[in-house]
Amino acid sequence: MKRKITLIPGDGIGLEIMYAAADIIDKVTNSIQWEEVNAGYTAYEKCGELLPEDTIKSIERNGVAFKGPITTPVGKGFRSINVLLRQRFNLYSNLRPVKSFEGIDCLYKNLDLVIIRENSEDLYKGIEHMVTDDVAESIKIITRSASERIADFAFKVAEKENRGKVTLTHKANIMKLTDGLFLESGRKISRNYPHIKFEDVIVDAMSMRLVMNPYDYEVIVAPNLYGDILSDMSAGLVGGLGMAPSANIGESTAVFEPVHGSAPDIAGKNVANPTAAILSGIMMLKYIGEETAAMKIEHALKTVLRNKNLHTKDIGGNLTTIEFKEEIIKIL
């Protein structure tokens, strides 16, 4: 029987890049049956809901979702659908590879590290209110259980990928209780993995060090806000968000998605770069045990990226989204 996976194309360029990635996946395996639903503005236009119950039930049934970018207004309107999904399904870990590819112009060649972001709490809990008309307050939540869980996840990733060091980043010199608890939890868990080196770095220094010499790092684990900022910054080291995949993983559910936004300004123009979606699909295939299919797609993608004549416009070429997809399929 085929495994059902929830497909959420999303908004803007999501329709183009997610269908391209799904087509590529279908060329290397016939074990997946896509169950298409939606969320965000596209869903709202169809049924008046940003996160329809059908979408929630589909993810509950299937346990794995392949999701495109969703538009979130800045400063007003509904909260991030991404955050709501992570909280609804307790997707406590956000896995963000930072990897450079031959053929892509970037600041650092041969870079390969991973950032693991605690996904369930911190300021992203969204607990905020107006104290007075002129004072707004947001509450930062850090718990021992979530901090230990994400630290353990980071060490397990290091073990699985044969990485020798885990670096925890924090601001415990100022936020001695919240970040102090996160640091304390990481130190405790590190004792269970004596064969893996552990260190901690204050987040502002971490930002500087990542820009100056990212090769010093293999696995970085961070609270929600710092992890969000550091992972986007690190994407800039390897060519930008168009090269940045991600996985949101919980105990029984996982959602895989490109990091970049919905780019409504280029939606429908067939120029979007589907690389981040394809890389996210590779992560998804590995997660469900389709290692051979994942390796085939990764090889084909690397082959195309090495040829600068086969790039989309954002990475210096002239290929359309569909043409880029077709070049990968040719190799497959």
Side-chain angles (χ1 to χ4, degrees):
M1 290 182 63
K2 291 189 175 183
R3 174 164 189 161
K4 284 189 176 181
I5 290 179
T6 301
L7 175 63
I8 305 173
D11 296 319
I13 60 172
L15 288 168
E16 299 159 78
I17 63 169
M18 298 307 291
Y19 288 153
D23 284 349
I24 290 168
I25 290 170
D26 288 341
K27 291 297 179 183
V28 294
T29 177
N30 61 359
S31 65
I32 291 173
Q33 180 180 343
W34 302 107
E35 184 173 278
E36 185 173 336
V37 292
N38 226 316
Y41 279 155
T42 303
Y44 186 80
E45 289 173 354
K46 289 181 178 179
C47 64
E49 293 181 89
L50 295 163
L51 186 58
E53 190 63 24
D54 284 351
T55 300
I56 293 171
K57 288 180 178 178
S58 175
I59 299 172
E60 287 176 346
R61 279 194 306 271
N62 300 330
V64 178
F66 190 36
K67 176 187 157 297
I70 287 176
T71 301
T72 299
V74 177
K76 61 180 180 179
F78 62 94
R79 287 184 60 205
S80 167
I81 297 297
N82 293 333
V83 173
L84 289 176
L85 281 171
R86 292 165 190 167
Q87 292 179 349
R88 175 68 182 254
F89 294 101
N90 194 20
L91 306 174
Y92 67 88
S93 57
N94 181 244
L95 188 62
R96 292 275 300 267
V98 179
K99 188 173 182 178
S100 54
F101 289 89
E102 186 181 348
I104 298 298
D105 293 330
C106 58
L107 295 173
Y108 293 94
K109 305 293 185 181
N110 303 313
L111 182 61
D112 184 5
L113 62 90
V114 62
I115 295 178
I116 295 170
R117 162 188 168 197
E118 203 293 316
N119 227 6
S120 68
E121 51 183 29
D122 196 0
L123 289 167
Y124 282 35
K125 275 287 192 182
I127 305 171
E128 55 181 7
H129 62 276
M130 298 301 298
V131 179
T132 70
D133 288 343
D134 301 313
V135 178
E137 181 177 61
S138 186
I139 299 173
K140 176 170 178 164
I141 303 293
I142 299 288
T143 65
R144 189 180 306 277
S145 59
S147 300
E148 291 183 359
R149 180 174 61 179
I150 198 65
D152 189 67
F153 183 88
F155 278 100
K156 282 184 167 59
V157 168
E159 273 191 329
K160 184 178 180 180
E161 299 186 4
N162 296 313
R163 298 178 184 268
K165 182 172 74 170
V166 171
T167 304
L168 181 147
T169 189
H170 61 89
K171 192 67 177 174
N173 57 324
I174 302 298
M175 285 168 277
K176 299 183 183 297
L177 298 181
T178 51
D179 284 30
L181 179 56
F182 190 80
L183 174 58
E184 176 191 332
S185 299
R187 285 173 172 165
K188 175 185 174 182
I189 296 300
S190 71
R191 293 194 284 271
N192 298 331
Y193 299 88
H195 54 293
I196 297 174
K197 183 179 178 181
F198 175 75
E199 65 179 4
D200 68 273
V201 179
I202 293 171
V203 66
D204 41 339
M206 184 82 248
S207 301
M208 177 194 68
R209 293 182 185 183
L210 272 173
V211 171
M212 292 185 69
N213 189 13
Y215 300 109
D216 278 348
Y217 304 100
E218 297 182 58
V219 176
I220 297 170
V221 60
N224 208 335
L225 177 62
Y226 308 152
D228 192 6
I229 295 168
L230 289 176
S231 55
D232 273 23
M233 184 191 77
S234 297
L237 306 179
V238 295
L241 292 177
M243 306 300 298
S246 75
N248 301 282
I249 299 173
E251 297 295 342
S252 59
T253 308
V255 176
F256 298 84
E257 60 185 345
V259 172
H260 59 71
S262 57
D265 57 319
I266 60 169
K269 296 181 180 179
N270 192 26
V271 297
N273 178 6
T275 298
I278 296 166
L279 289 170
S280 299
I282 291 169
M283 295 176 73
M284 181 189 71
L285 288 170
K286 291 178 180 178
Y287 177 83
I288 64 174
E290 291 274 0
E291 290 278 349
T292 301
M295 289 175 63
K296 286 179 179 178
I297 295 174
E298 188 169 9
H299 168 74
L301 176 63
K302 286 179 177 179
T303 302
V304 169
L305 291 176
R306 277 197 294 268
N307 186 342
K308 293 193 175 187
N309 294 321
L310 301 180
H311 289 183
T312 50
K313 186 175 181 179
D314 65 306
I315 51 176
N318 292 304
L319 261 60
T320 65
T321 308
I322 293 173
E323 288 170 341
F324 186 86
K325 175 195 75 172
E326 289 174 346
E327 291 295 334
I328 292 172
I329 289 174
K330 283 180 190 176
I331 296 167
L332 293 172

